[in-house]
């Protein structure tokens, strides 16, 4: 009754992932009231940027979107304005065919372990691919980044400075320097950094030199060398290394050697090409809290630093708490804490810790956590990203006063399934294996089957076929299987064969996975008996087989020494898979 306020948080990342193909950002929402009235999004709605969520952050991984960083001090700085109505011809909505994901509250088992860790120098990365190709949202390996950074380094006193580490060639005062320690006189020095990681899946590369002790950097300039820009695709991934990309990379390395002494003025200032541009540091250097977590070292047990729910600061370093949830979980971090303003709270989840205490870090392949900066008083936050792990590390940085962690939990979110089968035998180890496998399958089920809840969260077509077979037995469910098959069929709008992981901005084909999709169509029908769904899939089955027939052969896309990634067998075995697909499916439809 009365007035209600509806707010929707909308995030658009503008970069390619293995989960979606980003298009025009926008919000489409509607609410049907009891009297039949429909409240839907239009120009009467207000919109405002959310400055609390930091806009410039590194990607979690090649498979996923940028990491989540939230500054609660900026949460109320909203500037509302009328929204703009967009037209998207041809966009249709489909009813959800799978159940809504679960909401199960998981809390840590027992009290946390507390240690004091070393204070780590800020770690940063440079988004070289985004700099080289602004506006491009692909996730391909063969995308070049011919990027040069330059700035003037003001050295306060003569000394030795470490320029080792990082995929960059360095030139100082017009002279290339080898990675390592370099002696510099007091004064100004022109420094250039040439990106040597010419292409690859890592879109953000480490840059460890912006916080050199005893020196300060002037404004930063970026130059993208247009002659070396290259955008390929990975459709023939792992089959034929791209000769064009490799040849261009060799030219780029020669170009770096030839130009290490360029753009130096007599006074030491930086003389930049006309198409170079200055960039704000917050868009050029992205903080990497996962790298800081991986680099820290526990120094001592935090005796007296933890009293109940209160955490007291330590002059010896940062206080770190390790929470154990008892088993692997997958969901949303949710916490309530009370603190002064400006405390940096880093949350990093890991799957495994060895008996000797070594942490299984996923860095640099996966930044599995978030950074939160407190406002004064009570802070309540629920993350917007599903993450997985068993152990959750909470590190308090810039802490000057006690922080009280009132609540900490993970809101587990998986497909709403219940075991329909049980396994019992005389061997407890086999029973344990069954239980572990069932739990693993549950954690890899959303509205599709996915490959692992931590690293990728990706619908891999071949993996989904196997998972669907197990899910049919364990849960007696087929809706997630159908959803995965539909998404595979839709990928034929982009590729000649069903894509290996969909929907995705990585343009890649694995023929064995495409053929497994066809087998999955038959098995889905065989196990569930849904002939209407089989008829719906049939045009895509024919198209997938026809695409393979057209491209396998002496002049086809997959000719040559292409290796079947399922069995490590030559391509001839895929001919058998084509025949197997066609015979089974034709028989089913008869």
């Amino acid at each position: 009754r009365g007035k209600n306020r509806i707010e929707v948080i909308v995030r658009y990342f503008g970069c390619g992932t293995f989960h979606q193909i980003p298009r025009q950002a926008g919000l489409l929402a509607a609410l049907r009231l009891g009297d039949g009235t429909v409240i839907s999004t239009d120009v009467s709605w207000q919109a405002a940027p959310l400055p609390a969520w930091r806009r410039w952050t590194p990607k979690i991984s090649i498979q996923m979107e940028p990491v989540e960083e939230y500054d609660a001090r900026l949460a109320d700085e909203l500037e509302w304005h009328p929204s703009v109505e967009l037209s998207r011809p041809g966009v249709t909505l489909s009813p959800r065919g799978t159940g809504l994901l679960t909401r199960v509250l998981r809390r840590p088992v027992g009290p946390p372990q507390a240690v004091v860790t070393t204070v780590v120098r800020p770690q940063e990365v440079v988004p070289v691919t985004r700099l080289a190709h602004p506006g491009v949202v692909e996730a391909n390996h063969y995308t070049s980044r011919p990027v040069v950074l330059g700035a003037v380094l003001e050295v306060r006193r003569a000394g030795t400075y470490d320029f080792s580490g990082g995929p960059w060639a360095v030139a100082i005062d017009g002279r290339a320097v080898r990675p390592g320690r370099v002696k510099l006189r007091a004064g100004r020095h022109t420094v250039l950094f040439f990106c040597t990681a010419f292409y690859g899946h890592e879109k953000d590369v480490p840059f460890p030199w912006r916080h050199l002790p005893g020196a300060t950097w002037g404004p930063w300039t970026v130059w993208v060398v247009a002659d070396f820009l290259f955008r390929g695709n990975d459709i023939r991934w792992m089959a034929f290394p791209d000769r064009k990309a490799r040849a261009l990379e060799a030219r780029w390395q020669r170009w770096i050697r030839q130009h290490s002494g360029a753009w130096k003025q007599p006074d030491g200032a930086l003389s930049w090409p006309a198409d170079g541009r200055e960039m704000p540091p917050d868009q050029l250097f992205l903080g990497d809290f996962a790298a800081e977590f991986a680099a820290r070292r526990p120094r001592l047990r935090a005796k007296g630093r933890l009293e109940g729910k209160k955490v007291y600061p330590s002059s010896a370093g940062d206080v770190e708490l390790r929470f154990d949830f008892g088993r692997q979980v997958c969901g949303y971090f949710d916490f309530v804490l009370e603190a002064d303003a400006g405390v940096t709270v880093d949350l990093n989840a890991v799957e495994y810790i060895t008996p000797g205490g070594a942490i299984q870090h996923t860095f640099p392949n996966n930044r599995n956590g978030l950074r939160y900066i407190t406002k004064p008083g009570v802070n309540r936050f629920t993350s917007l990203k599903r993450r997985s792990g068993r152990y959750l590390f909470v590190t308090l940085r810039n802490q000057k006063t006690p922080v009280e962690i009132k609540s900490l939990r993970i809101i587990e979110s998986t497909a709403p399934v219940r075991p329909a089968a049980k396994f019992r035998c005389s061997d407890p180890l086999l029973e344990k294996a069954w239980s572990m496998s069932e739990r693993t399958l549950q954690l890899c089920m959303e509205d599709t089957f996915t490959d692992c809840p931590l690293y990728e969260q990706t619908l891999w077509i071949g993996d989904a076929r196997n998972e669907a077979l197990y899910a049919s037995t364990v849960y007696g469910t087929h809706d997630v299987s159908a959803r995965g098959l539909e998404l595979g069929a839709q990928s034929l709008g982009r590729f000649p064969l069903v894509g290996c992981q969909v929907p995705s901005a990585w343009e890649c084909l694995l023929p064995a996975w495409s053929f497994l999709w066809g087998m999955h169509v038959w098995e889905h029908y065989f196990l569930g008996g849904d002939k209407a769904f089989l008829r719906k899939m049939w045009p895509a089955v024919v198209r997938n087989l026809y695409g393979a027939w057209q491209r396998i052969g002496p002049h086809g896309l997959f000719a040559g020494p292409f290796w079947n990634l399922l069995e490590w067998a030559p391509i001839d075995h895929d001919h058998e898979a084509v025949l197997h697909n066609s015979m089974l499916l034709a028989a089913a439809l008869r």
Side-chain angles (χ1 to χ4, degrees):
R1 292 183 179 276
K3 292 184 178 181
N4 293 265
R5 178 186 182 93
I6 300 174
E7 291 186 358
V8 183
I9 298 173
V10 184
R11 293 198 302 169
Y12 173 75
F13 301 107
C15 67
T17 73
F18 287 18
H19 305 157
Q20 65 274 122
I21 306 169
R23 300 300 188 198
Q24 171 65 52
L27 168 67
L28 179 63
L31 178 68
R32 185 182 300 276
L33 304 183
D35 61 1
T37 303
V38 176
I39 301 173
S40 59
T41 47
D42 56 23
V43 292
S44 68
W45 283 58
Q46 299 286 304
L50 289 174
W53 270 281
R54 188 177 179 187
R55 295 179 61 188
W56 305 98
T57 63
K59 290 191 69 175
I60 295 172
S61 63
I62 182 59
Q63 294 88 355
M64 294 195 250
E65 70 272 16
V67 298
E68 189 176 20
E69 293 191 26
Y70 187 86
D71 189 338
R73 298 170 299 182
L74 306 177
D76 297 328
E77 296 183 10
L78 301 181
E79 297 182 6
W80 295 97
H81 57 81
S83 60
V84 176
E85 196 165 306
L86 303 174
S87 176
R88 287 290 305 276
V91 173
T92 59
L93 299 179
S94 302
R96 183 183 181 96
T98 59
L100 295 175
L101 301 188
T102 60
R103 180 183 171 87
V104 180
L105 302 182
R106 303 289 187 188
R107 300 183 186 277
V109 178
Q113 294 186 15
V115 297
V116 176
T117 68
T118 53
V119 177
V120 179
R121 188 172 66 182
Q123 304 287 305
E124 295 176 324
V125 295
V126 175
V128 286
T129 305
R130 278 184 270 179
L131 294 176
H133 302 273
V136 174
V137 297
E138 51 71 42
N140 292 323
H141 179 84
Y142 289 118
T143 303
S144 68
R145 42 274 189 107
V147 174
V148 185
L149 308 182
V152 171
L153 180 67
E154 184 78 32
V155 175
R156 289 192 285 274
R157 64 175 66 179
T160 302
Y161 294 83
D162 190 356
F163 282 91
S164 60
W168 301 87
V170 184
I172 301 177
D173 295 331
R175 180 175 59 88
V177 299
R178 292 183 177 181
R181 303 184 69 81
V182 179
K183 291 183 178 180
L184 295 178
R185 57 171 174 77
R188 294 159 58 88
H189 298 272
T190 302
V191 187
L192 299 175
F193 299 92
F194 304 82
C195 181
T196 56
F198 188 61
Y199 54 76
H201 267 336
E202 294 73 30
K203 303 299 182 180
D204 311 304
V205 300
F207 189 90
W209 304 296
R210 202 163 71 93
H211 302 279
L212 293 175
T216 55
W217 293 99
W220 287 88
T221 307
V222 178
W223 183 30
V224 176
V225 188
D227 291 345
F228 297 92
L229 287 176
F230 172 78
R231 259 191 75 199
N233 61 52
D234 299 339
I235 288 180
R236 298 180 294 181
W237 177 246
M238 294 181 66
F240 303 100
D242 199 298
R243 296 178 180 177
K244 181 179 178 181
R246 288 192 171 186
L248 203 61
E249 180 182 24
R251 283 181 50 209
W252 171 244
Q253 299 293 348
R254 291 195 298 270
W255 187 93
I256 291 175
R257 292 192 292 270
Q258 295 167 1
H259 290 77
S260 294
W263 317 309
K264 178 190 174 185
Q265 290 183 348
D267 62 355
L270 188 65
S271 175
W272 205 251
D275 54 350
R277 67 187 191 277
E278 281 195 18
M279 282 196 66
D282 66 330
Q283 297 180 26
L284 185 56
F285 302 104
L286 313 182
D288 192 350
F289 61 82
E292 295 173 20
F293 173 59
R296 101 281 184 259
R297 294 182 179 180
R299 298 184 61 184
L300 48 93
R301 296 181 67 87
K303 293 182 179 180
R305 300 298 96 195
L306 181 62
E307 293 183 5
K309 295 184 176 182
K310 280 194 174 182
V311 185
Y312 291 85
S314 172
S315 59
D318 297 326
V319 179
E320 175 186 276
L321 307 178
R322 188 186 82 185
F323 295 88
D324 183 358
F325 282 81
R327 62 176 180 169
Q328 185 89 354
V329 294
C330 184
Y332 303 91
F333 298 164
D334 179 87
F335 58 83
V336 180
L337 56 85
E338 188 169 359
D340 285 341
V343 178
T344 298
V345 184
D346 288 346
L347 292 89
N348 291 278
V350 302
E351 289 183 322
Y352 180 67
I353 300 176
T354 69
I359 297 173
Q360 180 200 36
H361 282 295
T362 58
F363 178 84
N365 301 313
N366 191 294
R367 299 174 173 93
N368 191 40
L370 68 83
R371 168 163 284 180
Y372 180 94
I373 301 176
T374 61
K375 64 181 180 181
V378 176
N379 291 252
R380 302 176 185 273
F381 187 73
T382 303
S383 67
L384 301 183
K385 169 66 181 174
R386 290 172 71 252
R387 300 176 183 86
S388 187
R390 170 176 171 174
Y391 303 96
L392 181 58
F393 289 80
V394 178
T395 308
L396 303 178
R397 309 186 192 278
N398 307 318
Q399 183 189 5
K400 309 261 189 320
T401 58
V403 171
E404 183 177 0
I405 301 178
K406 296 177 176 292
S407 171
L408 176 69
R409 59 190 183 178
I410 291 177
I411 305 173
E412 188 169 278
S413 179
T414 65
V417 292
R418 292 179 179 276
K422 295 181 179 180
F423 177 79
R424 294 288 184 269
C425 76
S426 59
D427 189 341
L429 187 61
L430 290 180
E431 292 186 351
K432 184 177 181 181
W434 169 277
S435 176
M436 291 169 56
S437 301
E438 186 271 320
R439 175 62 175 168
T440 299
L441 181 59
Q442 181 187 27
L443 292 174
C444 293
M445 291 180 68
E446 305 171 30
D447 60 336
T448 65
F449 296 107
T450 56
D451 178 356
C452 76
L454 189 153
Y455 295 90
E456 301 196 53
Q457 300 181 9
T458 297
L459 167 57
W460 284 91
I461 290 296
D463 301 53
R465 177 260 181 175
N466 299 334
E467 290 176 87
L469 291 175
Y470 295 122
S472 177
T473 299
V474 177
Y475 300 122
T477 182
H478 306 286
D479 57 339
V480 176
S481 172
R483 173 64 174 159
L485 288 171
E486 289 175 334
L487 290 172
Q490 292 173 15
S491 70
L492 289 167
R494 301 179 62 214
F495 302 123
L497 277 70
V498 169
C500 57
Q501 26 79 52
V502 296
S504 175
W506 187 28
E507 300 166 305
C508 178
L509 291 178
L510 302 178
W513 266 214
S514 306
F515 300 142
L516 279 174
W517 176 87
M519 296 179 188
H520 184 184
V521 173
W522 161 252
E523 292 158 347
H524 180 87
Y525 163 72
F526 181 82
L527 295 168
D530 189 344
K531 185 169 285 189
F533 183 78
L534 180 60
R535 291 189 180 279
K536 179 181 177 181
M537 291 291 102
W538 176 248
V541 170
V542 173
R543 188 170 179 179
N544 186 46
L545 294 172
Y546 181 78
W549 184 262
Q550 291 293 307
R551 286 161 177 81
I552 294 178
H555 305 293
L557 176 63
F558 304 120
F562 188 97
W563 292 92
N564 180 307
L565 295 186
L566 177 65
E567 298 176 341
W568 291 101
I571 194 67
D572 290 347
H573 284 251
D574 280 344
H575 285 91
E576 296 179 12
V578 172
L579 182 62
H580 183 68
N581 273 247
S582 58
M583 290 176 63
L584 284 177
L585 293 160
L589 286 173
R590 278 202 303 271

